[in-house]
Amino acid sequence: MTAGRDPLARLRDAAARRAEAGLRRTLRPRPAGPGGLADLASNDYLGLAGDPRLAEGAAAAARAWGTGSTGSRLVTGTTELHAELDRRLAAFTGSPAGLVFSSGFLANLGAVTALAGPGTLVVSDQVNHASIVDACRLSRSRTVIVPHRDVAAVEQALADRDEDDAVVVTDAVFSVDGDLAPLGALHRVVREHGALLVIDEAHALGVVGDHGRGAAHAAGLAGEPDVILTLTLSKSLASQGGAVLGAPEVIDALVDTGRSFIFDTGLNPPAAGAALAALDVLRSDPGLPARARDRARRIARLAAGSGLETRQPDAAVVPVFLGEPHAAVRAAGICADHGLHVGCFRPPSVPKGRACLRLTARATLEEPDLARLREALAEVATSTARSLHA
């Protein structure tokens, strides 16, 4: 290092450049309880994060098992509660077996790196979540990035490979655009070419399909031996953690070789208790997923009615495309002025030129929230000059 050089100068310079481009991020602590802005930004799709049944599930688990899991799942971090959650998640999605991780990010890292590796081809959709992108990099596999939802490109990559083994990985519902992967067509291609299909159900579980059992279940792929599911407990299930679901051989491989499983502390018992309580709520109120999807369709109609660019949602995520980062930041501010907290997505979370508001539906959204959103989006369309009606 050059003597006398400020080692933090480059970080300050980079931060200044991000600020000029409208790409600075800020942590904004939210208050407890119902105060603050109405939530149209979180991934609490079923509105269960404040549900007293989940709070009691977490509290009961803490009283019985303590607040921490005390170690990795292979040492002391697997309680009877974890084993029950492994089984219940598998049964809910129609999978043969399951394995709970401490986050959905780590579940994706574990699944892809354990199933791939040198000598295995990985095929990944170009807008897959960052956890999948990082998993592909860490797998040390040759990775082919295919255009979004392009089944023909996946088939070509599989047909042209020199590797004996291959893994195709995709989000079920893509986290910003909110569209659904063509899972049936992908599975036909995967099976024809002797590959495995990894489906990240993070934004589908609890929202898509009968009783919210997920996109793979809705596509008729539940329990197929060449299909592996990953998911998070932190969205519709309003808890924390993740899981990999699939054939027993897959789970055995993860227990034996999955670095993000072996070397990580197990999920804390209160989070497991809350997730189990959320599964109970879904069983007792099977209409929740349909209500979330209905609210998403209504949000999309409000955006389209204001002349803003959006798309029909397949789950609970509704994007409103505004182009450049500064326009998205202004739009988020307008929504805040109307009492609404919305997602503001800018590069690198989205491609350049596709900065957007990411609006998320909740099964518990009420009419006053939607009325405020109508007013806010009308003002956004006017102030950003993005109305397609102009």
Side-chain angles (χ1 to χ4, degrees), residues 96 187 196-199 216 221-229 245-247 250:
H187 184 246
L196 293 172
L197 178 60
V198 176
I199 302 169
L221 304 182
E224 292 291 342
D226 49 2
V227 173
I228 298 94
L229 308 182
L245 311 170
V250 171

Side-chain angles (χ1 to χ4, degrees), residues 141-219:
S141 297
R142 182 172 71 91
T143 300
V144 174
I145 309 300
V146 294
H148 184 44
R149 301 180 77 251
D150 191 335
V151 178
V154 173
E155 183 169 26
Q156 190 67 54
L158 293 174
D160 290 347
R161 76 182 194 267
D162 294 324
E163 298 88 348
D164 291 333
D165 300 309
V167 176
V168 175
V169 58
T170 183
D171 284 332
V173 171
F174 293 91
S175 60
V176 178
D177 285 12
D179 49 345
L180 192 64
L183 297 181
L186 283 174
H187 184 246
R188 287 192 292 274
V189 167
V190 162
R191 178 154 291 182
E192 179 182 345
H193 291 277
L196 293 172
L197 178 60
V198 176
I199 302 169
D200 182 358
E201 293 270 18
H203 297 275
L205 184 75
V207 180
V208 176
D210 178 45
H211 290 70
R213 296 181 188 274
H217 191 281

Side-chain angles (χ1 to χ4, degrees), residues 323-347:
E324 295 308 314
H326 289 294
V329 171
R330 285 198 304 274
I334 290 169
C335 290
D337 291 340
H338 286 266
L340 304 170
H341 185 194
V342 301
C344 178
F345 278 50
R346 296 157 287 165

Side-chain angles (χ1 to χ4, degrees), residues 56-68:
E56 178 52 33
R63 288 191 293 267
W65 301 102
T67 57

Side-chain angles (χ1 to χ4, degrees), residues 11 33 44 50 58 68 80 88 99 140 166 203 242 263 292 320 335 351:
L11 299 182
D44 182 24
E80 293 172 0
R88 289 275 302 277
L99 191 66
R140 296 179 296 157
H203 297 275
F263 298 105
V320 176
C335 290

Side-chain angles (χ1 to χ4, degrees), residues 313-328:
D314 290 320
V317 176
V318 183
V320 176
F321 297 104
L322 295 166
E324 295 308 314
H326 289 294

Side-chain angles (χ1 to χ4, degrees), residues 72-389:
S72 75
R73 286 202 58 185
L74 285 171
V75 184
T76 58
T78 296
T79 68
E80 293 172 0
L81 203 64
H82 291 82
E84 181 184 357
L85 186 54
D86 290 340
R87 292 190 297 269
R88 289 275 302 277
L89 288 169
F92 184 72
T93 59
S95 302
L99 191 66
V100 169
F101 286 65
S102 64
S103 76
F105 200 111
L106 293 179
N108 273 335
L109 291 187
V112 174
T113 56
L115 296 171
T120 299
L121 172 70
V122 175
V123 183
S124 178
D125 190 289
Q126 68 177 0
V127 299
N128 275 340
H129 188 263
S131 58
I132 296 175
V133 173
D134 287 355
C136 292
R137 292 169 176 167
L138 287 172
S139 73
R140 296 179 296 157
S141 297
R142 182 172 71 91
T143 300
V144 174
I145 309 300
V146 294
H148 184 44
R149 301 180 77 251
D150 191 335
V151 178
V154 173
E155 183 169 26
Q156 190 67 54
L158 293 174
D160 290 347
R161 76 182 194 267
D162 294 324
E163 298 88 348
D164 291 333
D165 300 309
V167 176
V168 175
V169 58
T170 183
D171 284 332
V173 171
F174 293 91
S175 60
V176 178
D177 285 12
D179 49 345
L180 192 64
L183 297 181
L186 283 174
H187 184 246
R188 287 192 292 274
V189 167
V190 162
R191 178 154 291 182
E192 179 182 345
H193 291 277
L196 293 172
L197 178 60
V198 176
I199 302 169
D200 182 358
E201 293 270 18
H203 297 275
L205 184 75
V207 180
V208 176
D210 178 45
H211 290 70
R213 296 181 188 274
H217 191 281
L221 304 182
E224 292 291 342
D226 49 2
V227 173
I228 298 94
L229 308 182
T230 64
L231 54 84
T232 180
L233 312 178
S234 63
K235 295 179 172 54
S236 289
L237 300 188
S239 181
Q240 194 76 24
V244 179
L245 311 170
E249 295 91 336
V250 171
I251 303 306
D252 289 346
L254 285 164
V255 171
D256 288 342
T257 69
R259 292 175 63 84
S260 64
F261 177 81
I262 295 170
F263 298 105
D264 187 46
T265 298
L267 182 68
N268 69 78
L276 285 166
L279 291 173
D280 289 339
V281 171
L282 267 170
R283 182 175 57 192
S284 64
D285 190 355
L288 278 173
R291 291 202 290 276
R293 296 194 301 269
D294 171 73
R295 301 305 189 273
R297 289 190 292 268
R298 293 180 65 182
I299 289 171
R301 286 198 295 270
L302 292 178
S306 297
L308 293 165
E309 182 186 354
T310 185
R311 54 161 286 115
Q312 280 301 111
D314 290 320
V317 176
V318 183
V320 176
F321 297 104
L322 295 166
E324 295 308 314
H326 289 294
V329 171
R330 285 198 304 274
I334 290 169
C335 290
D337 291 340
H338 286 266
L340 304 170
H341 185 194
V342 301
C344 178
F345 278 50
R346 296 157 287 165
S349 301
V350 294
K352 186 177 180 181
R354 296 295 279 175
C356 65
L357 298 182
R358 179 183 180 269
L359 308 178
T360 53
R362 291 194 331 277
T364 53
L365 273 178
E366 298 178 352
E367 293 301 326
D369 301 321
L370 295 171
R372 279 188 283 174
L373 179 62
R374 179 187 297 109
E375 296 173 359
L377 291 177
E379 186 175 338
V380 167
T382 301
S383 67
T384 60
R386 294 289 297 188
S387 175
L388 301 178
H389 295 165

